[in-house]
Amino acid sequence: MLNVHRLTLLRELHRRGTLAAVARDLNYSPSAVSHQLSQLEKEAGVPLLEPVGRGVKLTDAARMLVSRTDEILAVLDRAEADLAASTPTVSGTLRVTSFHSALATILPTALTLLSARHPDLRVEVFHREIGAAFDGLAAHLYDLVIGDQWPDEPDPVRPGMERQELFADPMLLVMPADRPEPTEPADLTELADARWAIDPEYLPGGRWVRRMLAQAGVVPEVLCDTDDPLLQAHLVRTGHAVAVIPSLLVGSFLDQTRALPLPGGPARLLYTAVREGQTGHPAVRAFRAALASAARRESPEI
């Protein structure tokens, strides 16, 4: 019989292209991945890999197996959800991945609510960039992604995954308290001389902020290129930069600063995503309910 874990490794090799990438992203050694795939080849009874230069590529039989693996894993997800729903308590381990501002605000409140409502449920939290988060969700490394979608950026949720909206989080222009105040909503051209703390350009938020500034005719002088909004806020608070910060961080994170709405009131959309087969899992439903309650408590816009 074919081993499901080994099928998953074959699928990840198809997605990532090299044994080294699979090993790196799934925390194995390349030799361990190679050994597992050799064992799968013995189980299958047909060649699955063939050498190409220093690497390998999948045979036609291997690609057929990969196409079936998605179906197999989806069935197993639904079976696991059904089994969990047959018990009277919400228990087990839920692996959640998220980004900075959610980790610093709504997630701790959600964990507090969950510990009171479902003490037998264990939550493990991983801070990951959005691409790595969805790679991990597809690879069954994580069970749920707390994600955000920025204006004019594509939906990162992939086929075979289910998205549930949380709320829209308006973006604010945040300045040191002693900086001369621009008009409201903020006229970005008045900040042509400012130094900025801004997300890297390879991230959706960084691309969006740069597009917004370019449309206003502003070429930002970047003091700090960082994806950490708390560091951005600290640089603003200490008088060194201006930044675009989500409303979710309004409060103690933005004390001693002045925040103004941006033209047009842009907002990012916060959501959760799971594999479709896990939508009805009691742990997923309990976590989503706690997160929604936390969002109502912590977001100034709800």
Side-chain angles (χ1 to χ4, degrees):
M1 183 174 292
L2 299 175
N3 180 279
V4 174
H5 173 64
R6 292 169 184 153
L7 286 172
T8 302
L9 290 177
L10 183 68
R11 183 186 69 159
E12 293 307 309
L13 177 60
H14 178 64
R15 287 182 170 177
R16 299 169 198 267
T18 67
L19 293 170
V22 174
R24 180 190 66 242
D25 295 341
L26 302 187
N27 298 315
Y28 290 105
S29 68
S31 60
V33 175
S34 180
H35 175 71
Q36 289 296 312
L37 292 177
S38 295
Q39 292 299 112
L40 179 63
E41 209 165 41
K42 291 178 181 178
E43 293 168 357
V46 296
L48 299 178
L49 303 176
E50 55 188 28
V52 178
R54 295 184 178 181
V56 295
K57 73 174 185 178
L58 275 65
T59 64
D60 290 342
R63 287 190 289 273
M64 180 276 295
L65 272 183
V66 166
S67 68
R68 294 299 188 188
T69 298
D70 286 334
E71 300 172 21
I72 292 167
L73 293 176
V75 170
L76 289 175
D77 270 342
R78 290 192 294 272
E80 181 182 306
D82 291 344
L83 189 63
S86 70
T87 63
T89 60
V90 179
S91 59
T93 299
L94 188 74
R95 297 158 298 179
V96 174
T97 178
S98 186
F99 53 90
H100 286 87
S101 53
L103 291 174
T105 53
I106 57 174
L107 184 60
T109 302
L111 294 176
T112 300
L113 293 172
L114 271 177
S115 66
R117 297 174 181 175
H118 305 289
D120 295 326
L121 177 62
R122 173 185 172 85
V123 178
E124 296 178 354
V125 180
F126 303 84
H127 175 213
R128 297 291 185 268
E129 179 269 322
I130 195 69
F134 279 104
D135 284 346
L137 184 63
H140 290 235
L141 295 178
Y142 314 123
D143 303 307
L144 182 145
V145 172
I146 304 173
D148 57 350
Q149 183 179 358
W150 292 76
D152 303 318
E153 286 288 319
D155 185 354
V157 178
R158 303 173 184 179
M161 299 178 184
E162 183 262 355
R163 168 172 165 160
Q164 187 175 103
E165 304 296 331
L166 275 171
F167 59 91
D169 187 22
M171 306 307 295
L172 302 173
L173 174 68
V174 184
M175 301 166 294
D178 59 357
R179 183 180 175 90
E181 185 169 348
T183 55
E184 187 175 341
D187 183 350
L188 297 175
T189 61
E190 297 179 32
L191 297 168
D193 65 336
R195 304 188 77 191
W196 290 79
I198 193 169
D199 280 4
E201 195 166 3
Y202 65 83
L203 293 177
R207 290 194 296 268
W208 174 75
V209 171
R210 286 171 172 81
R211 280 200 308 268
M212 178 188 64
L213 293 174
Q215 289 166 3
V218 175
V219 179
E221 179 185 352
V222 179
L223 168 69
C224 185
D225 184 277
T226 175
D227 66 346
D228 185 347
L230 302 185
L231 175 56
Q232 293 178 14
H234 184 63
L235 289 169
V236 176
R237 191 165 45 238
T238 53
H240 296 291
V242 298
V244 173
I245 302 286
S247 298
L248 194 58
L249 292 177
V250 167
S252 60
F253 296 109
L254 295 181
D255 60 1
Q256 304 174 50
T257 67
R258 186 168 60 251
L260 293 177
L262 289 163
R268 61 176 181 166
L269 298 177
L270 271 63
Y271 59 86
T272 58
V274 299
R275 296 183 300 277
E276 287 180 347
Q278 292 280 284
T279 303
H281 196 292
V284 168
R285 297 177 65 178
F287 183 84
R288 281 177 156 174
L291 198 63
S293 297
R296 287 190 292 271
R297 296 187 186 189
E298 299 297 332
S299 171
E301 299 298 324
I302 297 180

